[in-house]
């Protein structure tokens, strides 16, 4: 392959605090260190389908974006070019635009593409790489569920937001002698719930990796009451697996993220005979300015992505291992999700300080 002259930067899936810091890291190192031109691919891979929407990225255009939440490129989680959903004449049609993307990548002169995203977006990057596009990946998700990297940027910021919310709920729960449930994001993994629950001193943490029963939750709350604590805080991961039946033996319909804590509260209310309140934090967890940790990690990832391109190491994703930035094949990075190990030290630590996972007898 010839010398690199122009690279593209794309981001896909849900946004995460630190995305702009990655873009800035890629652009500044690409221009300042390597002398390349950088083109921003808007809204997932959309600018590869419609190249007139490309956004030229200069030193100036990324200046000042380090502390900004969201992404200057825009994003979407419905933009897979291999199966693109569009509504045409009131009907949903699905089209494969991958060949068109490759053609457009060539016509706009892309010598490489940096793709920032979680498992879904990295799978698309892998598929483009298989078709011959020189791609490098940067892991992104507040869920921290990518197995190839110890941490993804956005996770630390989300933890700060959730921990602050738990702290605030604590004081009102205590004053009113209530049981408070707080539902947090994380998709299939319980990392946000587990870490924020420990940081916020939650009494019960419910995560998808550890099945719970209503009876066990009730016993944990009763134990607290016996110890003179007549309030409790329950952190609920959004896709926690619910028992099949409620305490009265009625089947529980499958809830959607956003309604899980309410479904649990509905069942617990009868059992506990206590006042319960539910807070669903939702997208607040993804918005706003990244934490210093995420700004630094995102900057390191962005610069490392440019370095991978400069060495021609395509098909690889940057990652953090033992505190060092390194890289792995994207193929391996998307092979499986990183889930909480119920037997791990961190779960043991939580149990050791009295946190219940709703599974104790
Ligand atoms: O993957 C990040 C994430 O925020 C998950 O925690 C959450 O389940 C999902 O995205 C929400 O997606 P959307 O923004 O499409 O509602």
């Amino acid at each position: 392959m010839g010398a690199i002259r122009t690279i593209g930067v794309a981001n896909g899936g849900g946004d995460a605090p630190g995305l702009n810091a990655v873009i800035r890291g890629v652009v500044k190192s690409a221009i300042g260190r390597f002398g390349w031109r950088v083109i921003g691919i808007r809204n997932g891979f959309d600018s590869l389908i419609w190249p007139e929407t490309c956004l030229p990225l200069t030193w100036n255009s990324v200046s000042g974006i380090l502390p900004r939440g969201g992404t200057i490129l825009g994003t979407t989680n419905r933009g897979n070019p291999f199966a693109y959903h569009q509504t045409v004449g009131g009907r949903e049609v699905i089209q494969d635009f991958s060949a068109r993307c490759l053609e457009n990548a060539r016509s706009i002169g892309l010598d490489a593409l940096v793709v920032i995203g979680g498992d879904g977006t990295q799978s698309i990057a892998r598929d483009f790489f298989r078709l011959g596009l020189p791609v490098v990946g940067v892991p992104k998700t507040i869920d921290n569920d990518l197995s190839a990297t110890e941490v993804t940027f956005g996770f630390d910021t989300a933890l700060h937001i959730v921990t602050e919310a738990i702290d605030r709920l604590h004081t009102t729960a205590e004053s009113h002698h209530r049981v408070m449930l707080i539902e947090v994001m994380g998709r299939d993994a319980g990392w946000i719930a587990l870490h924020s629950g420990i940081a916020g001193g939650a009494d019960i943490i419910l995560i998808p990796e550890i099945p719970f029963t209503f009876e066990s939750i009730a016993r944990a709350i009763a134990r607290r009451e016996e110890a003179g604590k007549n309030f409790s805080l329950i952190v609920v991961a959004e896709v926690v697996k619910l028992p099949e039946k409620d305490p009265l033996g009625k089947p529980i319909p499958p809830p959607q993220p956003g309604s899980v804590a309410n479904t649990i509260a509905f069942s617990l209310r009868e059992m506990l005979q206590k006042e319960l309140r539910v807070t669903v934090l939702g997208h607040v967890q993804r918005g706003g300015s990244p934490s210093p940790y995420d700004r630094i990690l995102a900057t390191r990832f962005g610069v490392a992505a440019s370095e991978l391109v400069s060495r021609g190491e395509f098909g690889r994703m940057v990652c953090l291992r033992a505190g060092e930035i390194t890289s792995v094949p994207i193929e391996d990075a998307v092979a499986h999700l990183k889930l909480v190990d119920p037997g791990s030290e961190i779960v043991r630590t939580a149990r050791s300080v009295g946190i219940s996972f709703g599974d104790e007898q």
Side-chain angles (χ1 to χ4, degrees):
M1 110 151 266
I4 303 284
R5 283 189 301 267
T6 304
I7 67 166
V9 189
N11 58 216
D15 63 354
L19 261 177
N20 282 326
V22 178
I23 295 166
R24 174 179 171 272
V26 172
V27 172
K28 288 203 163 180
S29 56
I31 295 173
R33 246 174 89 186
F34 300 112
W36 304 329
R37 202 162 66 96
V38 190
I39 295 176
I41 307 299
R42 280 196 164 115
N43 300 320
F45 297 90
D46 278 11
S47 296
L48 290 180
I49 305 172
W50 298 282
E52 63 281 8
T53 63
C54 281
L55 178 71
L57 293 172
T58 62
W59 190 277
N60 271 349
S61 62
V62 296
S63 171
I65 66 171
L66 177 66
R68 263 169 61 189
T71 162
I72 57 166
L73 294 176
T75 190
T76 172
N77 45 20
R78 290 176 55 82
N80 180 357
F82 290 82
Y84 202 92
H85 291 248
Q86 275 179 304
T87 310
V88 180
R91 272 197 24 243
E92 184 165 68
V93 290
I94 302 173
Q95 279 168 286
D96 181 354
F97 283 128
S98 56
R100 180 160 148 184
C101 287
L102 291 178
E103 211 176 284
N104 286 329
R106 262 191 300 275
S107 70
I108 58 179
L110 290 193
D111 299 310
L113 179 66
V114 176
V115 178
I116 315 164
D119 57 332
T121 305
Q122 294 305 336
S123 300
I124 298 169
R126 175 207 54 202
D127 293 345
F128 273 133
F129 178 65
R130 283 178 180 165
L131 293 178
L133 191 69
V135 162
V136 305
V138 176
K140 169 240 62 167
T141 166
I142 65 163
D143 304 334
N144 200 29
D145 59 357
L146 285 172
S147 56
T149 185
E150 278 166 17
V151 198
T152 47
F153 68 86
F155 178 61
D156 182 68
T157 307
L159 284 187
H160 275 80
I161 295 164
V162 179
T163 304
E164 194 201 330
I166 296 174
D167 288 349
R168 288 177 185 278
L169 289 173
H170 246 126
T171 60
T172 170
E174 186 166 10
S175 308
H176 283 266
H177 324 298
R178 283 172 172 161
V179 172
M180 292 285 203
L181 292 93
I182 173 169
E183 181 176 322
V184 302
M185 283 184 165
R187 257 198 327 180
D188 303 312
W191 296 110
I192 295 178
L194 176 63
H195 282 245
S196 65
I198 295 173
D203 305 300
I204 298 167
I205 301 175
L206 304 178
I207 58 174
E209 295 88 344
I210 304 181
F212 72 89
T213 64
F214 292 112
E215 294 73 19
S216 179
I217 295 176
R219 279 195 295 273
I221 290 170
R223 276 196 302 276
R224 278 180 57 75
E225 306 249 323
E226 280 157 25
K229 301 277 191 187
N230 53 7
F231 69 97
S232 291
L233 237 126
I234 309 179
V235 179
V236 183
E238 62 181 352
V239 290
V240 73
K241 289 184 189 63
L242 294 176
E244 278 172 20
K245 299 209 168 122
D246 73 10
L248 300 175
K250 280 196 260 141
I252 301 178
Q256 296 300 313
S259 69
V260 175
N262 272 300
T263 306
I264 294 172
F266 189 77
S267 293
L268 279 180
R269 204 162 264 131
E270 290 293 312
M271 265 182 123
L272 297 177
Q273 302 291 321
K274 275 190 77 74
E275 274 196 20
L276 269 81
R277 293 290 187 273
V278 174
T279 301
V280 180
L281 271 192
H283 292 77
V284 165
Q285 293 161 91
R286 284 205 332 226
S289 189
S291 67
Y293 180 89
D294 280 338
R295 294 180 197 190
I296 295 166
L297 182 63
T299 302
R300 292 172 81 192
F301 277 170
V303 171
S306 287
E307 287 175 347
L308 277 187
V309 172
S310 75
R311 294 195 297 269
E313 293 185 34
F314 299 116
R316 299 187 70 82
M317 186 188 83
V318 300
C319 61
L320 186 78
R321 289 198 170 167
E324 299 290 327
I325 303 288
T326 174
S327 70
V328 289
I330 298 178
E331 190 78 55
D332 299 349
V334 296
H336 60 270
L337 283 182
K338 179 175 69 184
L339 299 177
V340 175
D341 172 2
S344 58
E345 173 274 326
I346 189 149
V347 172
R348 234 180 21 250
T349 297
R351 290 194 197 274
S352 301
V353 295
I355 296 174
S356 162
F357 286 86
D359 63 335
E360 300 82 3
Q361 291 308 305

